Structures are given as structure tokens and as C-alpha cells.
């Protein structure tokens, strides 16, 4: 892909911290899958949330939270619910029990739970099992592509209370980057503003741009720069990520894929879009890709910006 560094791939483990890549198999995705199946079974049986709640001696809101994958489901609760719903398919019941058991496990990111919000923890769980990410970034370089020093510089823009969690959150970003050494495919459209905005001083920014050049040479990483000269574009007012998924390991239905999810990180909270609301983002991302420089020219643009900074 355009400009490349012959040593980029061999040097990458060192730049990513040299740690083993976190294992796949996100409890978040398993929990959401179990909840979706249970909701479908409940609706097919004609039962409502109150019927399910009575069987488990919980509130109906707890049932809805289970079905949305926001809380774990105990295997014994699965057994009680399938009995209420009249499910006789033993393979399906076994799958649900397995999904419920796996969904209650702690992901590797759980050790950071005191420093991140639950919605963001959900995103990391989804990202861990995603097979592809289509990302638009308008202000700063994406966390998956940041160097440690650049990541530290981004905390100059956060509220004072967030600084006490800075080291842990940066370490979390570094651990997330291990998936770049696996089979995760990422296509990142980056606004020119993020390439030109110097965070942490020229040296930090030069290293960050060099990191983009190295990552952009990998077969699973595609970078495109959205230039100023094109004016305004649909969707450019907010950064977003479209997460795509492959098959779940051990899934009874081999054709099942977790539905695409759009994640929008905001100052007032994180937003998730699912179902029919995802398609407009695919269309917007397609437009951004077509308006951006192609990957080869984008890497050349990034390289020129790095050279310009070196001359300062």
C-alpha cells in the first residue's frame, strides 16, 4: 500500500509493547447472542417479560437487560426460561447454556473496569470479537493507531478528573492494539485535521506519523486521508466506528453473524446504533472513502507532513 517501511512488520511487536495478543472469545458478544436468542424464544412462545421475570423471581427490567446483553445470564436461569418458553431442542438449549456460561466470564479488559465507563467497556468487548472496523476520525488519531506518547498528549484535552486514570487508560489502548497483529481488518478514514494537528510537540507527532506509515504497510490496515480541499462531507461532524463480525466459534447456526454495530463516542456519553440505523453509516463511510485520497496517496501525504515537521 503506497509508501512502506521494509522493517515495519518485524518492528511492530516492539512498538505495540511486545505483549501476547489478548485471546479472542469476547464474553460481551456471547452475552448479547444469548440474550437475543432468549428474546426471540420468548416472543415466539407468546410469553411477556413479566412471565419470564416470575420464573426467575426478578423484575421485568432485569429480563430486558438480559435480553439486551447488558447483564450476564446464569446457566440455571437459561434452563428455567426455556422450560417456560416450551423449548424442546436440546442442541439449542446446550448452546444457550454454553453462551450463558461464556458470557459470565471476565474479559481481559475487566482489570480496567474501575477506570472506564460501562458503555466503553461494552465497546471494548465488541471490538475484541469484531472481524473488521470501519472508522472515521475527525479530530485525533484513533486509539488503535496511537503511540504511547501521542496517547499521553491526548489527555491534555480531558477534564481534570480524568487525568487520575491516564496511565491505566493508555495501557488499555496499548493492549487493544495487539489485535492489529492478528486478523482484525481496519479501514480508517482520517480527516486531514488529525494529521496536521500537532499533539505533544513536533517529536511526538513525527513519531506518531511514522507509526501510521508502518501500520499502513500492513495488509490488514488501510488508511485514507480526507483532505481539506474537498470541503464538507456527510458524517464528518462526528467520529464513528462500524464494527463487523465473523462467525462465533461453536455456533449451532454456522450462518450466524453478530449484527453490525455503530459506536459513536461523545462528550456526553457513548451512543450505539444497531439494526436499521446502521445502514446509513455504511453509506456515509462509503462516501467518505470515495472522497478521501486513496491509501497510497494518503501514506505519501502522511510522510510529507512528517518531513515538514522535521524541518521546523
Amino acid at each position: 500500500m503506497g509508501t512502506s517501511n521494509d522493517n515495519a512488520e518485524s518492528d511492530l511487536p516492539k512498538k505495540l509493547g511486545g505483549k501476547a495478543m489478548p485471546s479472542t472469545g469476547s464474553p460481551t458478544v456471547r452475552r448479547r447472542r444469548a440474550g437475543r436468542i432468549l428474546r426471540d424464544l420468548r416472543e415466539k412462545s407468546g410469553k411477556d417479560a413479566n412471565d419470564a421475570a416470575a420464573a426467575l423471581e426478578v423484575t421485568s427490567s432485569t429480563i430486558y437487560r438480559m435480553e439486551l446483553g447488558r447483564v450476564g445470564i446464569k446457566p440455571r436461569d437459561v434452563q428455567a426460561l426455556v422450560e417456560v418458553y416450551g423449548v424442546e431442542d436440546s442442541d439449542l438449549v446446550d448452546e444457550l447454556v454454553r453462551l450463558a456460561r461464556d458470557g459470565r466470564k471476565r474479559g481481559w479488559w475487566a482489570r480496567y473496569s474501575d477506570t472506564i465507563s460501562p458503555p466503553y467497556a461494552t465497546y471494548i468487548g465488541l471490538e475484541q470479537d469484531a472481524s473488521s472496523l470501519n472508522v472515521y476520525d475527525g479530530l485525533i488519531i484513533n486509539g488503535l493507531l496511537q503511540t504511547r506518547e501521542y496517547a499521553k498528549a491526548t489527555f491534555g484535552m480531558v477534564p481534570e478528573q480524568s487525568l487520575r486514570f491516564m496511565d491505566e487508560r493508555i495501557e488499555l489502548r496499548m493492549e487493544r492494539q495487539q489485535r492489529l497483529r492478528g486478523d482484525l481488518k481496519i479501514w480508517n478514514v482520517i480527516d486531514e485535521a488529525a494529521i496536521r494537528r500537532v499533539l505533544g510537540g513536533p517529536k511526538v507527532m513525527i513519531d506518531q506519523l511514522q507509526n501510521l506509515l508502518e501500520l499502513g504497510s500492513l495488509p490488514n490496515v488501510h488508511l485514507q486521508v480526507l483532505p481539506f480541499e474537498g470541503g464538507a462531507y456527510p458524517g464528518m461532524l462526528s467520529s464513528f466506528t462500524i464494527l463487523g463480525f465473523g462467525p462465533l466459534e461453536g455456533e449451532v447456526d454456522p450462518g450466524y453473524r453478530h449484527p453490525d454495530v455503530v459506536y459513536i463516542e461523545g462528550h456526553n456519553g457513548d451512543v450505539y446504533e444497531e439494526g436499521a440505523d446502521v445502514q446509513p453509516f455504511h453509506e456515509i463511510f462509503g462516501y467518505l472513502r470515495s472522497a478521501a485520497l486513496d491509501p497510497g496517496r494518503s501514506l505519501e501525504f502522511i510522510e510529507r507532513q512528517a518531513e515538514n515537521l522535521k524541518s521546523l
Side-chain angles (χ1 to χ4, degrees):
M1 282 181 53
T3 305
S4 64
N5 183 326
D6 292 339
N7 296 320
E9 194 160 1
S10 60
D11 288 346
L12 194 57
K14 183 189 298 182
K15 289 185 176 292
L16 293 181
K19 297 180 180 180
M21 185 176 67
S23 61
T24 57
S26 168
T28 304
V29 173
R30 273 86 185 145
R31 190 165 59 241
R32 288 164 66 95
R33 173 60 169 156
R36 183 179 294 268
I37 294 174
L38 286 170
R39 183 194 64 192
D40 290 345
L41 291 173
R42 176 176 63 77
E43 292 175 348
K44 190 176 297 185
S45 71
K47 303 293 184 180
D48 61 23
N50 290 324
D51 297 322
L56 301 186
E57 298 183 350
V58 297
T59 63
S60 58
S61 63
T62 298
I63 296 299
Y64 288 128
R65 292 173 67 206
M66 287 180 176
E67 293 178 349
L68 291 171
R70 294 176 181 169
V71 296
I73 306 171
K74 298 175 182 177
R76 68 170 179 267
D77 290 342
V78 168
Q79 298 286 2
L81 289 173
V82 296
E83 184 173 340
V84 170
Y85 303 155
V87 178
E88 298 179 353
D89 185 336
S90 60
D91 288 339
L92 178 56
V93 173
D94 289 344
E95 179 194 12
L96 277 168
V97 169
R98 178 183 59 80
L99 287 170
R101 186 176 293 115
D102 290 346
R104 292 179 63 82
K105 294 177 180 177
R106 288 167 59 88
W108 60 265
W109 56 93
R111 60 181 176 274
Y112 297 103
S113 59
D114 292 340
T115 68
I116 59 176
S117 66
Y120 187 55
T122 296
Y123 170 78
I124 296 171
L126 291 171
E127 180 186 86
Q128 179 64 22
D129 247 13
S131 59
S132 67
L133 302 177
N134 289 341
V135 187
Y136 168 68
D137 290 300
L139 298 176
I140 61 175
I141 306 301
N142 191 272
L144 280 175
L145 309 177
Q146 292 176 2
T147 64
R148 187 179 292 274
E149 290 305 312
Y150 182 92
K152 184 176 181 179
T154 66
F155 277 82
M157 303 181 292
V158 302
E160 183 69 26
Q161 61 267 26
S162 295
L163 291 177
R164 59 195 176 107
F165 298 129
M166 180 179 72
D167 292 339
E168 291 85 353
R169 290 179 180 176
I170 291 175
E171 194 59 38
L172 173 58
R173 290 184 199 179
M174 298 300 106
E175 289 204 50
R176 287 170 53 213
Q177 291 177 9
Q178 307 311 308
R179 287 217 61 205
L180 295 177
R181 289 188 278 164
D183 59 356
L184 176 65
K185 297 179 177 63
I186 177 170
W187 201 297
N188 188 193
V189 175
I190 312 169
D191 194 276
E192 183 176 338
I195 301 298
R196 291 191 178 278
R197 180 173 289 106
V198 178
L199 297 185
K203 175 62 167 61
V204 169
M205 195 64 197
I206 290 168
D207 289 345
Q208 175 60 66
L209 295 176
Q210 291 291 346
N211 191 54
L212 288 181
L213 292 173
E214 294 180 9
L215 292 172
S217 71
L218 299 178
N220 59 314
V221 179
H222 303 270
L223 306 178
Q224 288 186 261
V225 175
L226 191 67
F228 288 152
E229 62 191 33
Y233 302 97
M236 66 177 293
L237 297 180
S238 179
S239 298
F240 62 88
T241 299
I242 306 172
L243 300 98
F245 300 86
L248 285 181
E249 182 180 352
E251 175 70 35
V252 169
D253 177 6
Y256 173 77
R257 301 288 191 279
H258 188 289
D260 290 357
V261 177
V262 174
Y263 171 71
I264 307 166
E265 187 176 7
H267 294 294
N268 296 321
D270 302 332
V271 176
Y272 291 91
E273 300 287 0
E274 302 186 58
D277 294 328
V278 171
Q279 185 56 35
F281 285 89
H282 279 294
E283 295 171 2
I284 290 171
F285 191 75
Y287 189 92
L288 292 172
R289 277 185 55 185
S290 66
L293 302 176
D294 66 52
R297 292 174 61 202
S298 293
L299 292 184
E300 291 170 0
F301 182 95
I302 293 169
E303 187 171 38
R304 285 197 302 272
Q305 178 63 9
E307 292 300 320
N308 291 339
L309 287 175
K310 290 177 184 178
S311 65
L312 293 180

